[in-house]
Amino acid sequence: MKQTEPKEGLLYYLGMEIHLKQNGIMVTQQKHTNKVLNRYGFNEAYPVKTPIEPGMLTEKHTNDEPLKNKHYREVIGSLLYLSTISRPDISFTINYLSRQVNNQKISHWKMIERVLRYLKGTTNFGIHFGNEAKLRAYADSNYSGTEPDMISTSGILVYYSGPIVWMAQKQSVVSISSAEAEYRSAASCKQEVCWIRRIMQELGITIKEPTKLFIDNKAAIHMLENADEGKITKAKKHIEIQCGSHG
């Protein structure tokens, strides 16, 4: 029986544009992005190449007054929809800005303006799902965070033919070392992988090989390897106590 090639086309679903291509599927939100840009007067803005500038989170802004007469919550809601559906590249920035809804400052609005200018030049960006059927996971963290509480942020990405889960999420407690922050991020990523594997099994997708988890901290890798062997190292004993588990 002759196998027919998939037809190319375009589908619309819940604000997403699903492009059917010969080499896979592309998910974008161009219409929603343009709608947001028009609503806030950035349809003719000069585009920039990154959603955030170096130092935006760490510099102390002098005379940073409370924000007035701006639709902060409204624009954050629109950008959150983008960041969770098709734009993981703005996920970290929008996660940080969403924490400031009760403490809006002029510097935060300037960050929103930069995100909108970035979106102006990348309206056609999205997620491509190809033919590579391998489940991989990546975890990272920014040790000590950027706020007065010094809590780190976990970065997680799970990939199967394309990004299927991603998040930039504030950790629940203060980590006392970069290794601990990385360990917590990896542990959260591991939970996501276990959930995805169960869902895929229910859908009839069998993955026999273990899922590779990529992190870039040797001390955290050492702690994770010991955890797989049922050991608790001195360096992470307090983490296990806080988590209420021993393995």
Side-chain angles (χ1 to χ4, degrees), residues 78-133:
S78 298
L79 295 175
L80 273 172
Y81 183 62
L82 274 175
S83 69
T84 55
I85 299 297
S86 67
R87 297 301 298 266
D89 50 336
I90 64 172
S91 182
F92 173 80
T93 310
I94 302 307
N95 176 269
Y96 172 79
L97 290 170
S98 66
R99 304 175 201 165
Q100 318 305 326
V101 292
N102 294 320
N103 186 34
Q104 307 164 22
K105 298 292 181 66
I106 293 175
S107 62
H108 300 144
W109 186 257
K110 288 182 178 178
M111 292 176 66
I112 288 177
E113 289 180 338
R114 180 165 183 98
V115 173
L116 292 172
R117 290 171 61 196
Y118 171 71
L119 291 173
K120 170 60 181 176
T122 60
T123 56
N124 63 331
F125 279 23
I127 297 175
H128 180 263
F129 295 97
N131 300 319
E132 183 186 2

Side-chain angles (χ1 to χ4, degrees), residues 11 17 34 97 113 118 171 177 181 198 207 231 246:
L11 304 174
E17 293 100 47
N34 287 323
L97 290 170
E113 289 180 338
Y118 171 71
Q171 296 181 359
S177 68
R198 287 196 296 269
I207 301 178
K231 300 176 183 178
H246 297 282

Side-chain angles (χ1 to χ4, degrees), residues 63-217:
N63 301 322
D64 196 6
E65 298 179 357
L67 185 66
K68 297 179 181 179
N69 302 323
K70 296 290 185 180
H71 303 287
Y72 191 95
R73 291 175 182 268
E74 184 181 340
V75 67
I76 285 296
S78 298
L79 295 175
L80 273 172
Y81 183 62
L82 274 175
S83 69
T84 55
I85 299 297
S86 67
R87 297 301 298 266
D89 50 336
I90 64 172
S91 182
F92 173 80
T93 310
I94 302 307
N95 176 269
Y96 172 79
L97 290 170
S98 66
R99 304 175 201 165
Q100 318 305 326
V101 292
N102 294 320
N103 186 34
Q104 307 164 22
K105 298 292 181 66
I106 293 175
S107 62
H108 300 144
W109 186 257
K110 288 182 178 178
M111 292 176 66
I112 288 177
E113 289 180 338
R114 180 165 183 98
V115 173
L116 292 172
R117 290 171 61 196
Y118 171 71
L119 291 173
K120 170 60 181 176
T122 60
T123 56
N124 63 331
F125 279 23
I127 297 175
H128 180 263
F129 295 97
N131 300 319
E132 183 186 2
K134 281 189 178 182
L135 187 64
R136 304 194 302 271
Y138 303 83
D140 203 353
S141 72
N142 69 330
Y143 171 56
S144 79
T146 56
E147 302 176 45
D149 54 21
M150 304 301 287
I151 295 180
S152 305
T153 298
S154 295
I156 295 170
L157 171 67
V158 182
Y159 189 97
Y160 185 79
S161 298
I164 56 175
V165 172
W166 61 87
M167 65 180 71
Q169 192 172 56
K170 194 175 181 180
Q171 296 181 359
S172 58
V173 296
V174 177
S175 297
I176 61 175
S177 68
S178 59
E180 180 181 336
E182 297 275 358
Y183 178 87
R184 292 183 184 279
S185 180
S188 298
C189 189
K190 185 177 179 180
Q191 292 176 343
E192 293 294 328
V193 169
C194 291
W195 175 77
I196 290 169
R197 289 180 70 100
R198 287 196 296 269
I199 292 295
M200 295 178 78
Q201 186 176 8
E202 291 181 9
L203 294 173
I205 304 172
T206 303
I207 301 178
K208 297 180 180 179
E209 68 277 3
T211 302
K212 290 185 178 181
L213 172 60
F214 296 89
I215 60 176
D216 60 358
N217 187 288

